[in-house]
Amino acid sequence: MNRMIMKKRSILKEREKTQRRKGKTILLLSFVLLLSSVAVRAQRTTFLKINEVLVINEDNFVDDYGKKYPWLEIYNASPGTVDIAGCFLTNDISHPKMYMIPKGDVLTKIKPRQHALFWADDKATHGTFHLNFTLHPGKPNFIALFDSDGATLIDSVTVPAGQRADVSYGLIEDGWTQKRLDEELRLNSSYKDKKGDALWVHYEKVTPSSNNKILDTNEKIENFKENDSQGLGMMFTAMGVVFSGLILLYLIFKMVGIIAVSMSHRRAMKASGMTKEEAKGITEQSGDIYAAIAIAIYEVTEMHDDENTILTIKNTARNYSPWSSKIYTLRELPIKK
Amino acid sequence: MNFSSFLVENLQTFLTYTGFANLTTGHLVMIAVGLFFIYLAVAKEFEPMLLIPIGFGILIGNIPFKDAGLQLGIYEEGSVFNILYQGVTQGWYPPLIFLGIGAMTDFSALISNPKLMLIGAAAQFGIFGAYILALFCGFEPNQAGAIGIIGGADGPTAIFLSSKLAPDLMGAVAISAYSYMALVPVIQPPLMRLLTTKKERLIRMKPPRVVSQTEKILFPIFGLLLTCFLVPSGLPLLGMLFFGNLLKESGVTRRLAETARGPLIDTITILLGITVGASTQATQFLTLNSITIFALGALSFIIATSAGVLFVKFFNLFLKTGNKINPLIGNSGVSAVPDSARISQTVGLEYDPTNYLLMHAMGPNVAGVIGSAVAAGILLGFLG
């Protein structure tokens, strides 16, 4: 009877333990889910940028109907696909919900670092990418992109008046912000001479649905060819970095080692009441001794000549695992009430 | 058309599709290379885990066939081999291999004697020495970077970097890296003997102390934070390496560690080996560039080994007697794990049969893995 009660208790205990573990797992999972949903949200529309605008389209890009209208380009600066559907485009700040980008069109999903082109032709019936407003050649054109709540401004730009025909107005590099440009100007002294210091520039060679900056050459490689044709600069810099990284790691683990050794001294002194010198002797022993002891124990207890062919009646110890738990695989014992 | 002429015509068409009809000298040369790799693996037991899949892959990649859109070749979009090859071209096989390497590597030797890390750093001179030589041979800086990484003696790193910097050279770089990794028992010992004196070869190193589990757990965490903060472009390789090591050392994720160092790394090694081998189709592979890359690869291994050994000798000038390092472990900064460490042991035993250098050599050996991944990150950051 006592044995049965004990068994029952242990089963209940195990069940309780498993449930507690399950609870913790659920809590952890919900935390991970919450984190990932935040990440997904962050991956969404906030990365969208108004990237290039053409106000006067006289002899330029034509739409699917063969017509030439002003256009604007949205760039997805994120490393993931962003669905722009549900967001709003407007040319009037007091009317943010001027044009809702329709939902359900597969083309509204902008791939990472890719573009979507909208025609400002005031012909929304022509399709998802045709806006219900147009741009005015004679005056400044304000354009804004609002999030699906119609209140959160994602990005906006005011294209100055006096735009030239077939010359677009775009960001100096895809998706750049003023902060990014300032950083580049600070780090790269020759950037200003080559490209200037304005965030928005005019493009004679327009790039609808494509990168604003089209590379004829790889700038980095050209720079290396020009300034470090022998490769010595690369060698010294790179070896400097490799050494710095490993020296840092060395210093940290030198310190960690000192702390670990002194802690093991203290533990040895506390456990067996030995003096500092004796403890030092023990903790400075090399791993060889322990390895030799481990091999000897293994040889005595574990090694067989023909391990796989020996029949044994020895019980095998099984450690508890929720995957092999008996409470999930056996029916409950009948409980006497 | 009568029946017999119909049959003859069909047979003639069939013959144009056979390998015999499409055979070129290039195919024969590459098949011979593949057979040589298999021979090295089976008869000499040089890196059989790598050379058998790569050697057989070379055979697969060099079966001649008519380019009739049958989706057979590794470079034909949509073919089975092309799909498997995505792991190489998109660069996701190497990080998975690094995960397995991390899960099977014991960093104790390095933690107990962290100054050995510097040897791993010194051996990376091989990478940049080869980079300079490649520039001298007229390669573009990005191509030179891809070639230089052969000196890192790390197949996955070489594949990862060359797929990013110079995809057209990736086959040659990968084959060269793996070939020389298999040949470290041939390349390294003469250099080690040449650059050391008999007295130096007999140096006995202090046995490594016992390393606590806390230190072992801290290593991958600090390792990741330090190296990746310094070189974020090394993240795919270093991130996975240290993650794998934490799985191993944490002691609570045994199943994950076992999968990473067992079935997972085996699967990826098979896929990586066979597809890298198959990517050496004679038509794409047999060029003057490939031969130059092979020559530069050999030089990069020579520079890396020499730099490691000479650095230990230099380092010894600053170390007290009793703390000196045997320069025979300098070669193991070349991160061909664990072969170069095994060579330190073998050469060391030739001069003193009771001087076991293996544990000491494992320190620079694993530091070499970290060093070459950091170097790859730098090259990617500068030239990518």
Side-chain angles (χ1 to χ4, degrees), chain B residues 167-192:
Chain B
D168 48 324
L169 300 184
M170 190 180 60
V173 168
I175 293 289
S176 178
Y178 279 119
S179 309
Y180 292 120
M181 276 162 67
L183 291 173
V184 283
V186 180
I187 300 170
Q188 289 193 328
L191 287 168
M192 291 155 72

Side-chain angles (χ1 to χ4, degrees), chain A residues 108-296:
Chain A
T108 56
K109 286 183 179 138
I110 313 177
K111 288 190 172 168
R113 316 217 192 280
Q114 295 295 318
H115 312 75
L117 194 77
F118 287 88
W119 296 95
D121 52 3
D122 197 12
K123 290 188 184 342
T125 50
H126 277 195
T128 304
F129 295 93
H130 292 261
L131 307 173
N132 57 359
F133 60 86
T134 188
L135 303 178
H136 305 284
K139 53 182 187 181
N141 282 285
F142 171 80
I143 303 163
L145 175 66
F146 281 88
D147 209 343
S148 51
D149 57 5
T152 313
L153 180 68
I154 299 170
D155 195 23
S156 70
V157 60
T158 303
V159 183
Q163 295 292 308
R164 282 185 288 152
D166 301 324
V167 175
S168 67
Y169 184 69
L171 284 172
I172 191 156
E173 309 260 349
D174 284 335
W176 272 27
T177 56
Q178 190 61 47
K179 193 178 161 199
R180 175 69 185 84
L181 177 65
D182 292 344
E183 189 186 293
E184 188 67 28
L185 290 169
R186 190 166 46 81
L187 296 172
N188 185 354
S189 54
S190 62
Y191 191 87
K192 192 175 173 181
D193 301 333
K194 285 180 192 163
K195 306 263 178 75
D197 56 359
L199 182 62
W200 285 85
V201 291
H202 286 100
Y203 287 101
E204 301 270 352
K205 190 176 177 179
V206 299
T207 56
S209 295
S210 183
N211 300 11
N212 289 0
K213 183 183 161 193
I214 295 169
L215 299 172
D216 297 324
T217 54
N218 187 329
E219 208 176 307
K220 277 183 183 175
I221 290 170
E222 290 306 313
N223 266 340
F224 267 95
K225 274 169 84 171
E226 197 183 311
N227 302 313
D228 186 29
S229 58
Q230 309 284 314
L232 289 171
M234 165 71 92
M235 184 172 86
F236 287 121
T237 323
M239 284 307 289
V241 177
V242 173
F243 266 101
S244 323
L246 290 173
I247 285 172
L248 268 174
L249 210 54
Y250 157 67
L251 291 174
I252 286 191
F253 274 87
K254 183 87 187 155
M255 274 188 327
V256 170
I258 292 168
I259 296 167
V261 168
S262 86
M263 276 171 70
S264 69
H265 285 174
R266 220 175 296 157
R267 270 198 303 269
M269 282 157 65
K270 201 174 167 187
S272 53
M274 54 179 65
T275 64
K276 200 174 178 182
E277 287 308 306
E278 286 169 334
K280 213 174 164 188
I282 284 177
T283 50
E284 279 184 2
Q285 274 174 1
S286 90
D288 302 356
I289 297 165
Y290 299 112
I293 295 168
I295 290 169

